Amino acid sequence: MQTVRKDIHNSDIPVLCQSCEARHQGICGALNPEQLLALAKSTRRVRKDAGEELLADAMPISSYANVLRGVVKLSKVLEDGRQQVVGLQFAPDLLGRPFAAESRVSAEAASEVDLCLIPKPALETLLTQSAALEHLVMLQALRELDEARDWMVTLGRKSAAEKVASFLYLIATHIDPTEVEPETRFELPLTRADIGDFLGLTIETVSRQISRLKADGVIEILGNRHVTVPDLARLRLRCG
Amino acid sequence: MQTVRKDIHNSDIPVLCQSCEARHQGICGALNPEQLLALAKSTRRVRKDAGEELLADAMPISSYANVLRGVVKLSKVLEDGRQQVVGLQFAPDLLGRPFAAESRVSAEAASEVDLCLIPKPALETLLTQSAALEHLVMLQALRELDEARDWMVTLGRKSAAEKVASFLYLIATHIDPTEVEPETRFELPLTRADIGDFLGLTIETVSRQISRLKADGVIEILGNRHVTVPDLARLRLRCG
DNA sequence: CGAGGTTTTGAGAAATGTCAACTAGTGTGG
DNA sequence: CCACACTAGTTGACATTTCTCAAAACCTCG
């Protein structure tokens, strides 16, 4: 069987890629061992601290990157400084807009993140060679489109209370890439300011709604960031 | 030269496709004459009136469709009935979520529209055969993602006045698929209720903001739908 | 011309934003 | 290891925006 053969011939697979999330669920899963080996020659693993800028709006892109750990915040800024977070990326998403000379968003490490940098030409060469890879990239784009549209409903039609509940639910269901089940305990990867920019609310309104959820027993909070959700269904009910 | 040859051999191209927008700027441009001919055998042109439902959320999809004329409204509805328009499609967009068994949005003709229906299996067969076609479909998905993210900024961070101005600007720049320049006179393809659902506002707020733009001389309105924008730069300024 | 639906306008209510003060974490240097 | 300083988060009072409900005006179409 193919899958067994693959495991037996694990030595074909670059060491760094062997346990890599991107190979199992991310775009590298589309590559055969030779392609993976060729790609691994030009990739580079880097760790970024929370707050570091990864990609600036309207700046030329030199690299794509697989998100291996942590959360990346994608945002757009109006001339007068108003900011909107337009997406979050979790492992094993591919970071960077394919087939564009420059980014249309800015990307920032929301938490500490590990990235696998892929030089732009390396990925684009592979994309022309592998229809399977291009297909996976398209599927990610379609998934991000679905997520963006879901979020538009939250931004346009939900109350502040529903927005905050929706955000917490989103994090619970996405924070752990290896786990299919939502998490009941997690660290918030975003500051209150970031949450506000994601939800189209002020920092104060976010804080008040979190306090309310806490008072109502829907969530527990330890320190500022550590959240426990005793009953996910109850949180889900608050999402509108 | 390829392009000249193509024009000389126009007889290879199905009659209905010859003047079709989708062949020039849409996804059919990726097909060679044989593929186009094969596809044309199973496509069907239909006209839909404003308000007709084209695709229901969570319903199985049997067809894709090229939008040839008019405006299609994509929307999502919350359990309690709150609605959010998550996108508008203009000619020559492809309607329908590729590689999904069911739609995640509902689609409705916002104005009278002409569609070229493509049976799901026909398009999906072609997609596996033509990397060029899949590439165009991906580019449309990426463009829609960019548009969705732009709109998230409008939904999350703009005032009601800026939202309405942004909407009018969007229509002015997209209503005519053959024209690169924004239009200064056009028919609004959406009712006030639809505009409200697109902007996350009530019908009354939309109306008030339109009245304000009219009073300020930024736009002129004849009847309920016919809009003239004497100075697009002035409208652009109101978009925030 | 009239009926039905759509749009506009007004007045008051509710939600969210703003500004300011206060509190609680977090990290650093003695 | 503790104390201090700094940043992030919370809470309160008030302002502003947007929503809600109601009525009137306006189109569109038969």
Side-chain angles (χ1 to χ4, degrees), chain B residues 14-215:
Chain B
V15 179
L16 270 173
C17 302
Q18 276 182 30
S19 63
C20 174
E21 215 47 61
R23 215 187 94 241
H24 294 112
Q25 302 170 263
I27 57 157
C28 295
L31 303 174
N32 62 37
E34 299 95 89
Q35 292 171 321
L36 203 54
L37 205 58
L39 182 61
K41 287 210 175 67
S42 51
T43 61
R44 194 160 55 87
R45 280 199 166 194
V46 296
R47 174 158 300 182
K48 297 280 185 178
D49 287 330
E52 283 194 70
E53 181 150 81
L54 309 176
L55 216 66
D57 193 1
M59 288 307 269
I61 306 169
S62 67
S63 285
Y64 296 97
N66 270 315
V67 179
L68 303 181
R69 189 179 62 88
V71 180
V72 172
K73 187 184 89 184
L74 305 179
S75 59
K76 282 173 172 276
V77 183
L78 254 29
E79 292 78 10
D80 62 3
R82 283 175 286 179
Q83 187 172 89
Q84 176 69 43
V85 173
V86 296
L88 296 179
Q89 299 206 292
F90 304 85
D93 290 340
L94 178 71
L95 177 62
R97 168 72 157 73
F99 307 109
E102 49 180 54
S103 178
R104 301 212 31 201
V105 299
S106 61
E108 184 183 317
S111 62
E112 187 180 78
V113 293
D114 289 343
L115 301 176
C116 178
L117 292 180
I118 308 171
K120 195 161 143 64
L123 185 67
E124 289 177 355
T125 305
L126 269 179
L127 275 170
T128 62
Q129 289 167 7
S130 168
L133 178 62
E134 177 156 319
H135 188 71
L136 278 192
V137 169
M138 164 149 73
L139 290 184
Q140 175 176 326
L142 287 168
R143 186 166 44 72
E144 286 183 41
L145 180 58
D146 287 340
E147 286 167 5
R149 287 176 170 167
D150 283 340
W151 208 249
M152 286 173 76
V153 179
T154 300
L155 286 175
R157 284 299 181 207
K158 291 189 185 176
S159 68
E162 291 166 335
K163 284 179 176 181
V164 170
S166 300
F167 170 76
L168 293 171
Y169 193 80
L170 175 77
I171 297 300
T173 51
H174 286 73
I175 196 73
D176 184 348
T178 62
E179 187 58 66
V180 185
E181 291 301 304
E183 295 295 307
T184 54
R185 322 178 88 244
F186 52 86
E187 291 286 316
L188 280 182
L190 269 58
T191 64
R192 300 290 187 274
D194 286 336
I195 298 173
D197 285 342
F198 193 23
L199 297 171
L201 298 173
T202 58
I203 193 175
E204 295 94 334
T205 301
V206 172
S207 180
R208 277 184 248 273
Q209 297 303 337
I210 289 183
S211 298
R212 182 95 96 84
L213 286 172
K214 192 165 56 173

Side-chain angles (χ1 to χ4, degrees), chain A residues 1-71:
Chain A
M1 268 173 282
Q2 279 291 349
T3 52
V4 175
R5 287 253 305 276
K6 264 188 189 155
D7 283 327
I8 289 173
H9 288 266
N10 241 350
S11 50
D12 292 346
I13 296 172
V15 179
L16 270 173
C17 303
Q18 276 181 31
S19 63
C20 175
E21 215 47 62
R23 214 187 95 242
H24 294 112
Q25 303 169 263
I27 58 158
C28 295
L31 302 175
N32 62 35
E34 299 96 89
Q35 291 171 323
L36 202 55
L37 205 58
L39 182 60
K41 287 210 173 70
S42 51
T43 61
R44 194 160 55 86
R45 279 197 167 197
V46 296
R47 175 158 298 182
K48 296 281 185 178
D49 287 330
E52 283 194 71
E53 179 150 84
L54 309 176
L55 215 67
D57 191 2
M59 286 308 269
I61 306 168
S62 67
S63 286
Y64 296 98
N66 270 315
V67 179
L68 304 181
R69 188 179 62 87
V71 181

Side-chain angles (χ1 to χ4, degrees), chain A residues 134-148:
Chain A
E134 177 156 318
H135 188 70
L136 278 192
V137 169
M138 165 150 71
L139 290 184
Q140 176 176 325
L142 287 168
R143 185 167 45 72
E144 286 183 41
L145 180 58
D146 288 339
E147 286 167 5

